Amino acid sequence: MKQTVYTASPESQQIHVWRLDEQGDLTLLQVVDVPGQVQPMVVSPDKRFLYVGVRPEFRVIAYRISPEDGILAEAGHSALPGSPTHISTDHSGKFLFCGSYNAGCVSVTRLNDGLPGEIVDVVEGLEGCHSANISPDNRTLWVPALKQDRICLFTLGEDGKLAPQTPPEVTTVEGAGPRHMAFHPNQRFAYCVNELNGSVDVWQLSNAHGNVECIQTLDIMPPDFTDTRWAADIHITPDGRHLYTCDRTASILTVFSISEDGSVLALEGFQPTETQPRGFNIDNSGKYVIAAGQKSHHIAVYAIDGAQGLLSEKGRYAVGQGPMWVVINAQ
Ligand SMILES: O=C(O)[C@H](O)[C@@H](O)[C@H](O)[C@H](O)COP(=O)(O)O
């Protein structure tokens, strides 16, 4: 499996492009100077493009991905209604979603043969909107509003318009701060990391009554942690057996194992990582975790070990300034 790693460093306005080999070693292939502070990134479902959100001119820029080696070449861009905090696409590659924490909105941009075009919908009033997550069936967009302790549920229309569902949202406990999400490959459960109370919620997508239900909440912090909780990101292994979260105050990755059916998380342990990790990811083979330290200006590669999913560091690499997003593409 040929894999390319992309890291976003907004303070130096750079994307670093790396080859990830089977042994978990990285080789730097390219450093892209981006016309703006690059933060969220996502690869198109057909692997042709890397979409990145930039500021202060709020735009999404599409980079064409070379199928030979993953090298990037700018291919197009379009405006966004607010500062891009998170970007994602639907599974068909027809629409790009952008969550904007500062603008309190989520937007839908049409993708024309993969290139960003016009904005087809904007939903406002989502204070602290931190991500937009399409369900595995490509029908429901889950949109956490961090400051409102709710996750809004929209049906994605053929035209890209977002229609509130019934019920239009699910709510977390007060003060949780829902932020980023991951879906189980069995398409029956979702997991949301809560920034402000440092927890992870397990959401059953359809319970016995066909409703969305939170069925478990776990602490992601060590029992002796007493500082300010500041969780950021969450990712699941492709086989659905392990889940990882990160906290920026403690600079840790938290390791969970997942039950066979995806319904129960069990805490396995904590891995100290790069200082102030805001973004990380898991490679497509499910063998490695790569985390970025906003204050260490390095990324670290960890091997995922055995049944518990515990991590062992394989190497550290200097990147740009303030790295905070990691995308890993299998070509
Ligand atoms: O991560 C955080 O600490 C909080 O969620 C928030 O305080 C932060 O400022 C947003 O992430 C803003 O979003 P941008 O990074 O897009 O500005």
Side-chain angles (χ1 to χ4, degrees):
M1 179 187 291
K2 189 161 72 168
Q3 299 192 81
T4 309
V5 178
Y6 301 99
T7 58
S9 300
E11 292 171 25
S12 54
Q13 301 193 177
Q14 294 170 316
I15 298 170
H16 284 65
V17 182
W18 309 81
R19 183 176 61 247
L20 172 64
D21 67 22
E22 294 291 336
Q23 293 70 42
D25 296 323
L26 295 179
T27 303
L28 184 61
L29 302 177
Q30 181 187 20
V31 179
V32 178
D33 291 321
V34 180
Q37 297 160 28
V38 51
Q39 290 208 173
M41 303 190 292
V42 70
V43 173
S44 60
D46 64 8
K47 314 285 188 179
R48 287 190 299 154
F49 295 102
L50 176 74
Y51 302 118
V52 307
V54 297
R55 65 199 64 189
E57 187 186 352
F58 306 147
R59 292 189 295 159
V60 51
I61 301 174
Y63 288 90
R64 199 176 298 278
I65 299 175
S66 159
E68 285 72 40
D69 55 13
I71 293 289
L72 301 177
E74 189 168 340
H77 59 86
S78 68
L80 292 171
S83 178
T85 301
H86 183 277
I87 55 174
S88 58
T89 73
D90 78 305
H91 296 302
S92 71
K94 284 173 60 181
F95 301 110
L96 179 136
F97 310 114
C98 178
S100 179
Y101 177 94
N102 292 302
C105 71
V106 64
S107 59
V108 184
T109 296
R110 185 184 307 283
L111 295 169
N112 302 311
D113 190 25
L115 293 178
E118 76 279 19
I119 293 173
V120 296
D121 202 0
V122 180
V123 178
E124 297 179 331
L126 311 176
E127 292 176 49
C129 176
H130 227 294
S131 64
N133 311 272
I134 192 71
S135 57
D137 64 5
N138 214 48
R139 180 176 177 273
T140 300
L141 193 67
W142 291 58
V143 183
L146 188 147
K147 291 182 178 178
Q148 296 170 330
D149 294 325
R150 64 177 180 152
I151 304 175
C152 300
L153 303 173
F154 299 99
T155 297
L156 176 65
E158 284 297 315
D159 57 0
K161 296 243 183 254
L162 299 177
Q165 292 188 350
T166 303
E169 64 187 36
V170 292
T171 56
T172 65
V173 300
E174 189 175 351
R179 182 184 168 105
H180 285 187
M181 296 182 63
F183 289 96
H184 194 283
N186 69 15
Q187 307 193 9
R188 293 171 52 211
F189 299 95
Y191 312 91
C192 183
V193 67
N194 299 312
E195 174 184 320
L196 304 178
N197 72 357
S199 66
V200 57
D201 288 331
V202 180
W203 293 95
Q204 184 171 7
L205 303 191
S206 177
N207 65 13
H209 306 288
N211 300 321
V212 175
E213 181 184 2
C214 181
I215 58 174
Q216 185 188 18
T217 297
L218 270 77
D219 194 339
I220 71 165
M221 302 307 292
D224 59 351
F225 181 81
T226 57
D227 204 336
T228 302
R229 290 162 176 250
W230 200 23
D233 207 0
I234 184 170
H235 293 280
I236 187 170
T237 53
D239 63 6
R241 290 183 53 209
H242 294 104
L243 185 83
Y244 299 85
T245 62
C246 65
D247 178 86
R248 287 166 286 180
T249 303
S251 296
I252 55 169
L253 294 161
T254 302
V255 183
F256 297 94
S257 54
I258 308 173
S259 60
E260 189 69 31
D261 69 352
S263 64
V264 179
L265 298 183
L267 176 67
E268 295 290 350
F270 305 97
Q271 171 64 46
T273 187
E274 295 298 323
T275 309
Q276 194 168 300
R278 180 168 171 174
F280 69 94
N281 221 314
I282 299 171
D283 87 298
N284 299 274
S285 70
K287 291 167 57 181
Y288 302 110
V289 169
I290 302 180
Q294 266 185 307
K295 297 298 186 192
S296 73
H297 313 300
H298 279 68
I299 57 176
V301 179
Y302 302 91
I304 297 177
D305 298 336
Q308 285 185 288
L310 297 177
L311 302 175
S312 55
E313 185 175 303
K314 283 197 56 70
R316 296 185 69 230
Y317 304 81
V319 285
Q321 294 299 297
M324 48 73 75
W325 209 280
V326 180
V327 164
I328 308 174
N329 185 34
Q331 299 187 237

PDB file of all heavy atoms in Angstrom, residues 31-54:
ATOM      1  N   VAL A  31       7.478  20.533  -0.018  1.00  0.00           N
ATOM      2  CA  VAL A  31       6.955  21.540   0.921  1.00  0.00           C
ATOM      3  C   VAL A  31       6.206  22.567   0.070  1.00  0.00           C
ATOM      4  O   VAL A  31       6.793  23.185  -0.825  1.00  0.00           O
ATOM      5  CB  VAL A  31       8.064  22.218   1.726  1.00  0.00           C
ATOM      6  CG1 VAL A  31       7.463  23.282   2.666  1.00  0.00           C
ATOM      7  CG2 VAL A  31       8.854  21.186   2.539  1.00  0.00           C
ATOM      8  N   VAL A  32       4.899  22.685   0.322  1.00  0.00           N
ATOM      9  CA  VAL A  32       4.065  23.585  -0.477  1.00  0.00           C
ATOM     10  C   VAL A  32       3.850  24.879   0.302  1.00  0.00           C
ATOM     11  O   VAL A  32       3.432  24.850   1.462  1.00  0.00           O
ATOM     12  CB  VAL A  32       2.693  22.931  -0.770  1.00  0.00           C
ATOM     13  CG1 VAL A  32       1.791  23.885  -1.554  1.00  0.00           C
ATOM     14  CG2 VAL A  32       2.874  21.614  -1.515  1.00  0.00           C
ATOM     15  N   ASP A  33       4.189  26.008  -0.303  1.00  0.00           N
ATOM     16  CA  ASP A  33       3.864  27.308   0.287  1.00  0.00           C
ATOM     17  C   ASP A  33       2.439  27.660  -0.110  1.00  0.00           C
ATOM     18  O   ASP A  33       2.130  27.811  -1.300  1.00  0.00           O
ATOM     19  CB  ASP A  33       4.845  28.382  -0.197  1.00  0.00           C
ATOM     20  CG  ASP A  33       6.241  28.153   0.390  1.00  0.00           C
ATOM     21  OD1 ASP A  33       6.302  27.770   1.595  1.00  0.00           O
ATOM     22  OD2 ASP A  33       7.231  28.297  -0.334  1.00  0.00           O
ATOM     23  N   VAL A  34       1.575  27.774   0.897  1.00  0.00           N
ATOM     24  CA  VAL A  34       0.147  27.949   0.658  1.00  0.00           C
ATOM     25  C   VAL A  34      -0.191  29.443   0.728  1.00  0.00           C
ATOM     26  O   VAL A  34       0.339  30.138   1.612  1.00  0.00           O
ATOM     27  CB  VAL A  34      -0.665  27.170   1.724  1.00  0.00           C
ATOM     28  CG1 VAL A  34      -2.170  27.325   1.506  1.00  0.00           C
ATOM     29  CG2 VAL A  34      -0.258  25.695   1.714  1.00  0.00           C
ATOM     30  N   PRO A  35      -1.066  29.943  -0.154  1.00  0.00           N
ATOM     31  CA  PRO A  35      -1.447  31.355  -0.085  1.00  0.00           C
ATOM     32  C   PRO A  35      -2.463  31.599   1.033  1.00  0.00           C
ATOM     33  O   PRO A  35      -3.608  31.960   0.793  1.00  0.00           O
ATOM     34  CB  PRO A  35      -2.052  31.624  -1.467  1.00  0.00           C
ATOM     35  CG  PRO A  35      -2.566  30.298  -1.916  1.00  0.00           C
ATOM     36  CD  PRO A  35      -1.651  29.274  -1.330  1.00  0.00           C
ATOM     37  N   GLY A  36      -2.023  31.391   2.271  1.00  0.00           N
ATOM     38  CA  GLY A  36      -2.892  31.621   3.427  1.00  0.00           C
ATOM     39  C   GLY A  36      -2.508  30.668   4.544  1.00  0.00           C
ATOM     40  O   GLY A  36      -1.693  29.753   4.361  1.00  0.00           O
ATOM     41  N   GLN A  37      -3.142  30.866   5.702  1.00  0.00           N
ATOM     42  CA  GLN A  37      -2.890  29.988   6.853  1.00  0.00           C
ATOM     43  C   GLN A  37      -3.740  28.717   6.648  1.00  0.00           C
ATOM     44  O   GLN A  37      -4.953  28.763   6.779  1.00  0.00           O
ATOM     45  CB  GLN A  37      -3.280  30.700   8.136  1.00  0.00           C
ATOM     46  CG  GLN A  37      -2.456  31.961   8.403  1.00  0.00           C
ATOM     47  CD  GLN A  37      -3.155  32.900   9.386  1.00  0.00           C
ATOM     48  OE1 GLN A  37      -3.931  32.444  10.223  1.00  0.00           O
ATOM     49  NE2 GLN A  37      -2.904  34.180   9.240  1.00  0.00           N
ATOM     50  N   VAL A  38      -3.042  27.612   6.368  1.00  0.00           N
ATOM     51  CA  VAL A  38      -3.765  26.378   6.032  1.00  0.00           C
ATOM     52  C   VAL A  38      -4.089  25.600   7.308  1.00  0.00           C
ATOM     53  O   VAL A  38      -3.208  25.372   8.148  1.00  0.00           O
ATOM     54  CB  VAL A  38      -2.920  25.526   5.053  1.00  0.00           C
ATOM     55  CG1 VAL A  38      -1.505  25.330   5.566  1.00  0.00           C
ATOM     56  CG2 VAL A  38      -3.584  24.190   4.754  1.00  0.00           C
ATOM     57  N   GLN A  39      -5.330  25.247   7.503  1.00  0.00           N
ATOM     58  CA  GLN A  39      -5.726  24.458   8.690  1.00  0.00           C
ATOM     59  C   GLN A  39      -6.404  23.170   8.277  1.00  0.00           C
ATOM     60  O   GLN A  39      -5.759  22.155   8.081  1.00  0.00           O
ATOM     61  CB  GLN A  39      -6.568  25.293   9.660  1.00  0.00           C
ATOM     62  CG  GLN A  39      -5.774  26.360  10.339  1.00  0.00           C
ATOM     63  CD  GLN A  39      -6.280  26.758  11.721  1.00  0.00           C
ATOM     64  OE1 GLN A  39      -5.639  27.516  12.413  1.00  0.00           O
ATOM     65  NE2 GLN A  39      -7.406  26.245  12.177  1.00  0.00           N
ATOM     66  N   PRO A  40      -7.708  23.119   8.105  1.00  0.00           N
ATOM     67  CA  PRO A  40      -8.308  21.806   7.837  1.00  0.00           C
ATOM     68  C   PRO A  40      -7.963  21.289   6.439  1.00  0.00           C
ATOM     69  O   PRO A  40      -7.759  22.078   5.511  1.00  0.00           O
ATOM     70  CB  PRO A  40      -9.809  22.078   7.966  1.00  0.00           C
ATOM     71  CG  PRO A  40      -9.970  23.500   7.579  1.00  0.00           C
ATOM     72  CD  PRO A  40      -8.731  24.181   8.090  1.00  0.00           C
ATOM     73  N   MET A  41      -7.865  19.967   6.334  1.00  0.00           N
ATOM     74  CA  MET A  41      -7.581  19.352   5.031  1.00  0.00           C
ATOM     75  C   MET A  41      -8.383  18.062   4.915  1.00  0.00           C
ATOM     76  O   MET A  41      -8.700  17.413   5.926  1.00  0.00           O
ATOM     77  CB  MET A  41      -6.090  18.986   4.901  1.00  0.00           C
ATOM     78  CG  MET A  41      -5.122  20.130   5.090  1.00  0.00           C
ATOM     79  SD  MET A  41      -3.437  19.640   4.633  1.00  0.00           S
ATOM     80  CE  MET A  41      -3.084  18.469   5.948  1.00  0.00           C
ATOM     81  N   VAL A  42      -8.704  17.680   3.688  1.00  0.00           N
ATOM     82  CA  VAL A  42      -9.367  16.402   3.437  1.00  0.00           C
ATOM     83  C   VAL A  42      -9.069  15.970   2.008  1.00  0.00           C
ATOM     84  O   VAL A  42      -8.922  16.821   1.112  1.00  0.00           O
ATOM     85  CB  VAL A  42     -10.899  16.506   3.675  1.00  0.00           C
ATOM     86  CG1 VAL A  42     -11.588  17.348   2.611  1.00  0.00           C
ATOM     87  CG2 VAL A  42     -11.529  15.109   3.760  1.00  0.00           C
ATOM     88  N   VAL A  43      -8.943  14.655   1.798  1.00  0.00           N
ATOM     89  CA  VAL A  43      -8.720  14.109   0.445  1.00  0.00           C
ATOM     90  C   VAL A  43     -10.076  13.755  -0.156  1.00  0.00           C
ATOM     91  O   VAL A  43     -10.975  13.269   0.536  1.00  0.00           O
ATOM     92  CB  VAL A  43      -7.830  12.850   0.513  1.00  0.00           C
ATOM     93  CG1 VAL A  43      -7.731  12.162  -0.842  1.00  0.00           C
ATOM     94  CG2 VAL A  43      -6.422  13.225   0.991  1.00  0.00           C
ATOM     95  N   SER A  44     -10.237  14.014  -1.461  1.00  0.00           N
ATOM     96  CA  SER A  44     -11.506  13.683  -2.135  1.00  0.00           C
ATOM     97  C   SER A  44     -11.694  12.170  -2.137  1.00  0.00           C
ATOM     98  O   SER A  44     -10.711  11.413  -2.147  1.00  0.00           O
ATOM     99  CB  SER A  44     -11.477  14.209  -3.573  1.00  0.00           C
ATOM    100  OG  SER A  44     -10.406  13.610  -4.295  1.00  0.00           O
ATOM    101  N   PRO A  45     -12.929  11.709  -2.170  1.00  0.00           N
ATOM    102  CA  PRO A  45     -13.175  10.248  -2.133  1.00  0.00           C
ATOM    103  C   PRO A  45     -12.483   9.501  -3.277  1.00  0.00           C
ATOM    104  O   PRO A  45     -12.071   8.358  -3.111  1.00  0.00           O
ATOM    105  CB  PRO A  45     -14.700  10.138  -2.248  1.00  0.00           C
ATOM    106  CG  PRO A  45     -15.214  11.439  -1.722  1.00  0.00           C
ATOM    107  CD  PRO A  45     -14.190  12.473  -2.122  1.00  0.00           C
ATOM    108  N   ASP A  46     -12.316  10.173  -4.432  1.00  0.00           N
ATOM    109  CA  ASP A  46     -11.649   9.505  -5.568  1.00  0.00           C
ATOM    110  C   ASP A  46     -10.128   9.714  -5.547  1.00  0.00           C
ATOM    111  O   ASP A  46      -9.428   9.334  -6.496  1.00  0.00           O
ATOM    112  CB  ASP A  46     -12.234  10.000  -6.900  1.00  0.00           C
ATOM    113  CG  ASP A  46     -11.971  11.500  -7.129  1.00  0.00           C
ATOM    114  OD1 ASP A  46     -11.215  12.115  -6.340  1.00  0.00           O
ATOM    115  OD2 ASP A  46     -12.534  12.044  -8.092  1.00  0.00           O
ATOM    116  N   LYS A  47      -9.613  10.332  -4.478  1.00  0.00           N
ATOM    117  CA  LYS A  47      -8.158  10.467  -4.263  1.00  0.00           C
ATOM    118  C   LYS A  47      -7.491  11.424  -5.267  1.00  0.00           C
ATOM    119  O   LYS A  47      -6.262  11.501  -5.307  1.00  0.00           O
ATOM    120  CB  LYS A  47      -7.462   9.100  -4.377  1.00  0.00           C
ATOM    121  CG  LYS A  47      -8.135   7.966  -3.649  1.00  0.00           C
ATOM    122  CD  LYS A  47      -7.925   8.059  -2.184  1.00  0.00           C
ATOM    123  CE  LYS A  47      -8.435   6.810  -1.465  1.00  0.00           C
ATOM    124  NZ  LYS A  47      -8.219   6.893  -0.024  1.00  0.00           N
ATOM    125  N   ARG A  48      -8.283  12.159  -6.051  1.00  0.00           N
ATOM    126  CA  ARG A  48      -7.649  13.038  -7.052  1.00  0.00           C
ATOM    127  C   ARG A  48      -7.212  14.370  -6.464  1.00  0.00           C
ATOM    128  O   ARG A  48      -6.275  14.995  -6.980  1.00  0.00           O
ATOM    129  CB  ARG A  48      -8.633  13.307  -8.196  1.00  0.00           C
ATOM    130  CG  ARG A  48      -8.877  12.143  -9.124  1.00  0.00           C
ATOM    131  CD  ARG A  48      -9.669  12.606 -10.355  1.00  0.00           C
ATOM    132  NE  ARG A  48     -10.977  13.138  -9.969  1.00  0.00           N
ATOM    133  CZ  ARG A  48     -11.649  14.039 -10.715  1.00  0.00           C
ATOM    134  NH1 ARG A  48     -11.110  14.537 -11.810  1.00  0.00           N
ATOM    135  NH2 ARG A  48     -12.844  14.450 -10.312  1.00  0.00           N
ATOM    136  N   PHE A  49      -7.941  14.792  -5.380  1.00  0.00           N
ATOM    137  CA  PHE A  49      -7.670  16.143  -4.869  1.00  0.00           C
ATOM    138  C   PHE A  49      -7.452  16.146  -3.357  1.00  0.00           C
ATOM    139  O   PHE A  49      -8.023  15.326  -2.638  1.00  0.00           O
ATOM    140  CB  PHE A  49      -8.843  17.069  -5.188  1.00  0.00           C
ATOM    141  CG  PHE A  49      -9.058  17.299  -6.655  1.00  0.00           C
ATOM    142  CD1 PHE A  49     -10.073  16.642  -7.333  1.00  0.00           C
ATOM    143  CD2 PHE A  49      -8.228  18.161  -7.367  1.00  0.00           C
ATOM    144  CE1 PHE A  49     -10.266  16.838  -8.685  1.00  0.00           C
ATOM    145  CE2 PHE A  49      -8.411  18.366  -8.726  1.00  0.00           C
ATOM    146  CZ  PHE A  49      -9.433  17.702  -9.388  1.00  0.00           C
ATOM    147  N   LEU A  50      -6.633  17.101  -2.902  1.00  0.00           N
ATOM    148  CA  LEU A  50      -6.551  17.466  -1.483  1.00  0.00           C
ATOM    149  C   LEU A  50      -7.202  18.831  -1.361  1.00  0.00           C
ATOM    150  O   LEU A  50      -6.797  19.775  -2.059  1.00  0.00           O
ATOM    151  CB  LEU A  50      -5.091  17.536  -1.009  1.00  0.00           C
ATOM    152  CG  LEU A  50      -4.898  18.008   0.438  1.00  0.00           C
ATOM    153  CD1 LEU A  50      -5.298  16.897   1.428  1.00  0.00           C
ATOM    154  CD2 LEU A  50      -3.454  18.441   0.692  1.00  0.00           C
ATOM    155  N   TYR A  51      -8.230  18.912  -0.518  1.00  0.00           N
ATOM    156  CA  TYR A  51      -8.901  20.195  -0.277  1.00  0.00           C
ATOM    157  C   TYR A  51      -8.369  20.770   1.033  1.00  0.00           C
ATOM    158  O   TYR A  51      -8.305  20.060   2.049  1.00  0.00           O
ATOM    159  CB  TYR A  51     -10.418  20.000  -0.164  1.00  0.00           C
ATOM    160  CG  TYR A  51     -11.054  19.366  -1.379  1.00  0.00           C
ATOM    161  CD1 TYR A  51     -11.697  18.135  -1.283  1.00  0.00           C
ATOM    162  CD2 TYR A  51     -11.001  19.990  -2.625  1.00  0.00           C
ATOM    163  CE1 TYR A  51     -12.278  17.539  -2.390  1.00  0.00           C
ATOM    164  CE2 TYR A  51     -11.563  19.396  -3.744  1.00  0.00           C
ATOM    165  CZ  TYR A  51     -12.204  18.179  -3.616  1.00  0.00           C
ATOM    166  OH  TYR A  51     -12.765  17.578  -4.718  1.00  0.00           O
ATOM    167  N   VAL A  52      -8.007  22.047   1.029  1.00  0.00           N
ATOM    168  CA  VAL A  52      -7.507  22.671   2.257  1.00  0.00           C
ATOM    169  C   VAL A  52      -8.258  23.978   2.493  1.00  0.00           C
ATOM    170  O   VAL A  52      -8.579  24.715   1.544  1.00  0.00           O
ATOM    171  CB  VAL A  52      -5.985  22.938   2.191  1.00  0.00           C
ATOM    172  CG1 VAL A  52      -5.230  21.668   1.818  1.00  0.00           C
ATOM    173  CG2 VAL A  52      -5.639  24.065   1.236  1.00  0.00           C
ATOM    174  N   GLY A  53      -8.534  24.266   3.774  1.00  0.00           N
ATOM    175  CA  GLY A  53      -9.179  25.529   4.138  1.00  0.00           C
ATOM    176  C   GLY A  53      -8.128  26.534   4.571  1.00  0.00           C
ATOM    177  O   GLY A  53      -7.206  26.173   5.321  1.00  0.00           O
ATOM    178  N   VAL A  54      -8.210  27.770   4.078  1.00  0.00           N
ATOM    179  CA  VAL A  54      -7.234  28.796   4.421  1.00  0.00           C
ATOM    180  C   VAL A  54      -7.930  30.064   4.913  1.00  0.00           C
ATOM    181  O   VAL A  54      -9.120  30.269   4.681  1.00  0.00           O
ATOM    182  CB  VAL A  54      -6.323  29.153   3.225  1.00  0.00           C
ATOM    183  CG1 VAL A  54      -5.492  27.955   2.779  1.00  0.00           C
ATOM    184  CG2 VAL A  54      -7.143  29.715   2.064  1.00  0.00           C
TER     185      VAL A  54
END
